[in-house]
């Protein structure tokens, strides 16, 4: 690094301490700590939790301590999950702080020292070299062959060449200077530099993104809102009815103790305690299933929302593409080789020198992704030839400059007197170095345009054999020979085209948002299978559009290029304003605000930054775009299975509620006691939380459009279907009770037959509602064996209750004859026929 007059203008340790005290550390400000008691208080006062706590209190009043403790334990689990979810924003900011505060090499008090990045202050002189992460926003005062990877901020897959601009000599002391050339968190891939700190912490480019993260709030999903409202309404109605029933029973019969028992039984029958359990357990088990498919769920409620996703915004670099440059084509005046089409063919002999000198013009320990790709291509195509020169000695570098975007490297072989010079750079610069005539230049430019139209990054390569001892000062003084062109690309992931095609079949629109050049964006979009890849909207054009014009343009445009972070956020918000359910994928820091603003943010886990992962709802641990389809399928399956569970819950509660009310209306003895309802929970709860959750995706579910975002989980047709199922079962049970009472003349026998039929019919409800397809109720794929096991366990327990006298007495049962048991089975079979018939009369 050359000496400059600015190197003498550095801060002393005392000046640095003063500025650190005045301006604070070079990190994002930590959010105010949450008051745990206040947070827990807010959670506990939610209606859904008050309902669960009330149920636990009822169980305690009934003396069932075990059931009460289990229910209250579940309340604690749900509260913990909610608390963890509300800390997600803080974790996003903490991850951003980790990235934004690497260690830095600075000049302090005429000494070079390495300090923690958080201790940097405005005016510090920072020294950079290959492999360093820029610790703050810097204004460069000197650079040598400097290239910086800014993909985490801009989305550009290629490193950016940096040059020194004209600056004021008093920059280290003037706090009004805020012009940055290198940005905090970016990576130096090549060269060295010196620069003054002009922005730290939240004032840096990285810090502004972190600030925007903190300003974007989280919101409940439609299912969470709807479930909360339904539970609250049913809880209020149920409590009023239960209290009214207890009072009516007491007044009519003068038996206030049994009146309280009847009221509590009705309350237990009405209170939909399964709903919050179902919602939480369905989503929790779905998150577990997704983890087995290498998809990490950071926001569990987002799973069900995936099923309604209508639009998928994808970042190009690291999402559609592998974020790893590869050599795609080699071209010379005599040969042309496309590695994508002829991957297994040997490299033509006429192109060996082109690749040989492209390697010699690169660093052996490359940080730059383009140079890494060239070296990998050499190892693949030139191994075993005489064109790899690991024993050659590097004599001198001619770096890139503002005037000439080409670099040359001078090599010396122990067996040769002459030196070999290899040059690579922009094709225009290499043509200039080779002093080519107009005809030759025209031919090369035609090839350059053809490659650029394919979205390829093109570089030129040249070489010269230099016999003289004294090396010239300028690269132009060499008599370079043009060798050819090298075209590179960041290839589309192999699984992406198929995944995008499946998205289109499933009615999900896919748009690409990138910081790349229009031709590159169009080429990648075409390869990926995105619709209308030629219709492109640039960031500059985006800024010129009003909200109304942008809304109109969004309806047909699927490719957005040269987009800045704040523009990504604007696009996501504009799509949301049009009523789309937006999922956004990305892997860079620049994606974090849009990931958080989308309904579902999806980050890449292997290559993604911590900030992107923390801001996202889902993380694809294997970076496979196809894993996102798995998550979408899971979202559709979850919503469909939740509806099945709700139909079952409604249907199974109707007869329980009816059998609690009928004794009061008709003066019958109490038919259902709390112990009966508790046993029914052994059927209802596993059915809701295990059996229905494990149901596989229905046929053709991914060949239909996403459900309407306005569709409700508790839709009218869903509730009516469960209501009709339940009313039909209630009528059968009431008729069975009247018949058994007239035949057996024993309340214990009637109660036993009634309860047995209710349990068996509940199993029939499970089998019928497992699928809404007519022929798939009983015979289902072997992937879900939970219903069979649960049926066997339930029948075994029912047999114990009926067959063991001591247990029968606890349930107030008398023994049943074989004929009476067959009667129960017959009524349950008739009920199942009714359930199946409803699917034909009024399909869901």
């Amino acid at each position: 690094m050359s000496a400059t007059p600015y190197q003498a203008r550095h801060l002393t340790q005392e000046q640095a301490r003063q500025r650190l005290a005045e301006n604070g550390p070079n990190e994002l400000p930590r959010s105010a700590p949450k008051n745990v008691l206040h947070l827990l208080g807010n959670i506990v006062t939610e209606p859904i939790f008050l309902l669960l706590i009330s149920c636990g209190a009822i169980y305690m009043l009934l003396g069932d301590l075990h059931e009460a403790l289990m229910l209250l334990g579940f309340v604690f689990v749900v509260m913990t999950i909610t608390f963890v979810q509300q800390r997600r924003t803080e974790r996003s900011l903490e991850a951003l702080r980790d990235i934004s505060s690497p260690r830095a090499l600075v000049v302090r008090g005429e000494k070079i020292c390495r300090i923690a990045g958080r201790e940097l202050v405005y005016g510090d002189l920072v020294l950079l070299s290959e492999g360093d992460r820029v610790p703050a926003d810097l204004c460069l005062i000197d650079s040598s062959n400097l290239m910086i990877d800014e993909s985490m901020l801009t989305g550009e897959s290629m490193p950016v060449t940096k040059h020194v601009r004209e600056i004021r000599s008093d920059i280290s002391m003037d706090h009004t200077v805020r012009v940055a050339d290198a940005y905090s968190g970016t990576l130096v891939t090549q060269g060295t530099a010196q620069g003054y700190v002009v922005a730290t912490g939240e004032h840096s480019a990285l810090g502004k993104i972190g600030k925007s993260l903190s300003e974007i709030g989280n919101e409940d999903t439609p299912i969470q809102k709807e479930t909360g409202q339904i539970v609250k309404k049913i809880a209020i109605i149920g409590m009023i009815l239960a209290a009214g029933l207890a009072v009516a029973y007491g007044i009519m019969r003068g038996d206030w103790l049994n009146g309280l028992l009847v009221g509590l039984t009705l309350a237990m029958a009405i209170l939909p305690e399964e709903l919050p359990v179902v919602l939480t357990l369905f989503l929790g088990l779905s998150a577990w299933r997704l983890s087995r498919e290498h998809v990490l769920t950071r926001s569990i409620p987002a799973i069900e929302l995936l099923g309604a996703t209508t639009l998928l915004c994808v970042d190009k670099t690291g999402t559609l593409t592998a974020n790893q440059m590869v050599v795609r084509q080699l071209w010379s005046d005599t040969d042309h080789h496309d590695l994508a089409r002829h991957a297994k063919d040997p490299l033509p002999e006429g192109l060996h020198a082109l690749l040989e000198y492209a390697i010699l013009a690169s660093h052996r320990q490359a940080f730059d992704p383009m140079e890494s790709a060239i070296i990998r291509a050499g190892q693949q195509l030139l191994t075993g030839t005489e064109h790899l020169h690991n024993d050659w000695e590097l004599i001198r570098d001619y770096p890139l400059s503002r005037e000439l975007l080409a670099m040359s490297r001078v090599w010396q072989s122990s067996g040769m007197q002459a030196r070999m010079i290899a040059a690579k750079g922009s094709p225009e610069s290499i043509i200039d170095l080779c002093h080519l005539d107009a005809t030759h230049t025209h031919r090369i430019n035609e090839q350059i345009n053809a490659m650029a139209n394919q979205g390829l990054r093109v570089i030129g390569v040249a070489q010269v054999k230099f016999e003289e001892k004294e090396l010239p000062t300028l690269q132009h003084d060499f008599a370079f020979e043009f060798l050819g062109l090298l075209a590179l690309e960041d290839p589309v992931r192999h699984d992406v085209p198929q995944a995008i095609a499946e998205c289109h079949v499933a009615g999900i629109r896919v748009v690409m948002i990138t910081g790349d050049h229009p031709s590159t964006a169009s080429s990648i979009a075409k390869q990926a299978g995105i619709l209308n890849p030629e219709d492109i909207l640039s960031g500059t054009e985006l800024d010129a559009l009003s909200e109304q014009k942008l809304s109109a343009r969004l309806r047909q445009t699927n490719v957005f290029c040269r987009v800045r972070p704040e523009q990504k956020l604007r696009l996501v918000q504009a799509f949301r304003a049009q009523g789309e359910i937006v999922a956004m994928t990305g892997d860079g820091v620049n994606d974090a605000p849009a990931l958080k603003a989308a309904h579902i943010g999806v980050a890449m886990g292997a290559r993604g930054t911590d900030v992107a992962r923390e801001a996202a709802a889902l993380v694809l641990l294997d970076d496979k775009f196809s894993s996102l389809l798995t998550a979408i399928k899971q979202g559709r399956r979850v919503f469909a299975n939740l509806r099945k569970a709700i139909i079952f819950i409604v249907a199974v509660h109707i007869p329980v509620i009816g059998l609690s009310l009928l004794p009061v209306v008709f003066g019958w003895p109490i038919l259902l006691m709390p112990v009966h309802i508790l046993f029914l929970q052994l059927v209802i709860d596993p059915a809701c939380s295990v059996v229905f959750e494990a149901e596989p995706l229905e046929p053709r579910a991914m060949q239909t459009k996403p459900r309407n975002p306005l569709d409700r989980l508790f839709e009218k047709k869903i509730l009516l279907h469960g209501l009709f199922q339940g009313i039909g079962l209630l009528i059968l049970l009431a008729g069975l009770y009247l018949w058994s009472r007239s035949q057996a003349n024993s309340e214990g026998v009637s109660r036993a037959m009634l309860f047995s039929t209710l349990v068996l019919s509940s199993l029939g409800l499970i089998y019928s509602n497992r699928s809404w397809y007519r022929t798939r109720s009983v015979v289902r794929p072997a992937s879900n064996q939970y219903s069979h096991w649960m049926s066997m366990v339930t029948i075994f327990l029912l047999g114990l209750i009926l067959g063991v006298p001591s247990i029968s007495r606890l349930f107030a049962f008398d023994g049943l004859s074989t004929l009476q048991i067959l009667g129960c089975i017959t009524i349950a079979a008739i009920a199942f026929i009714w359930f199946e018939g409803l699917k034909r009369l009024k399909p869901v």
Side-chain angles (χ1 to χ4, degrees), residues 120 124-128 134-140 179-184 194-199:
L120 276 176
D124 259 326
L125 180 61
V126 178
L127 310 181
L128 298 175
V134 180
D137 286 3
L138 305 178
C139 178
L140 300 178
V179 180
D181 302 305
Y183 300 100
S184 176
Q194 300 178 25
Y196 281 116
V197 175
V198 294

Side-chain angles (χ1 to χ4, degrees), residues 88-208:
R88 191 159 63 88
T89 298
E90 292 180 50
R91 291 198 300 272
S92 297
L93 296 175
E94 288 166 4
L96 197 56
R97 280 193 293 270
D98 292 339
I99 289 181
S100 63
S101 187
R103 293 182 63 80
L105 191 65
V106 300
V107 180
R108 289 265 183 94
E110 300 184 358
K111 293 182 180 180
I112 297 177
C113 57
R114 192 169 293 276
I115 63 172
R118 68 184 307 276
E119 297 176 6
L120 276 176
V121 296
Y122 181 87
D124 259 326
L125 180 61
V126 178
L127 310 181
L128 298 175
S129 59
E130 288 182 7
D132 286 347
R133 195 166 290 279
V134 180
D137 286 3
L138 305 178
C139 178
L140 300 178
I141 60 171
D142 185 45
S143 68
S144 174
N145 201 25
L146 182 65
M147 299 187 75
I148 296 180
D149 180 359
E150 297 182 342
S151 61
M152 67 183 303
L153 285 174
T154 65
E156 286 276 10
S157 57
M158 297 302 302
V160 180
T161 302
K162 295 291 185 177
H163 302 287
V164 177
R165 69 172 73 197
E166 291 296 326
I167 61 170
R168 293 169 53 169
S169 61
D170 60 343
I171 185 172
S172 66
M173 302 301 163
D174 188 342
H175 284 252
T176 64
V177 179
R178 296 286 176 181
V179 180
D181 302 305
Y183 300 100
S184 176
T186 58
L187 180 67
V188 178
T189 61
Q190 183 175 300
T192 57
Q194 300 178 25
Y196 281 116
V197 175
V198 294
T200 61
E202 64 178 350
H203 301 293
S204 67
L206 192 64
K208 291 174 183 177

Side-chain angles (χ1 to χ4, degrees), residues 211-232:
K211 187 175 181 181
S212 69
L213 277 179
S214 64
E215 294 171 353
I216 303 172
N218 296 311
E219 60 183 82
D220 290 339
T221 66
I223 278 186
Q224 286 178 304
K225 296 175 182 177
E226 188 181 358
T227 302
Q229 293 170 358
I230 291 291
V231 169
K232 183 178 179 180

Side-chain angles (χ1 to χ4, degrees), residues 569-635:
L569 181 60
R570 183 187 176 193
L571 285 171
V572 169
Q573 292 171 334
F575 279 124
R576 288 191 57 159
Q578 290 185 337
E580 304 279 5
I581 300 296
V582 181
M584 166 80 188
T585 70
D587 65 344
V589 173
N590 62 310
D591 299 321
L595 286 173
K596 192 172 182 183
H599 291 98
I600 309 107
V602 184
M604 297 297 164
R607 295 185 180 274
T609 60
D610 287 344
V611 178
R613 289 193 292 269
E614 291 291 336
L618 299 176
V619 179
L620 306 184
L621 297 177
D622 56 5
D623 278 13
K624 290 183 179 179
F625 187 84
S626 57
S627 296
L628 182 56
L629 262 188
T630 302
I632 291 174
K633 291 176 183 177
Q634 187 74 4

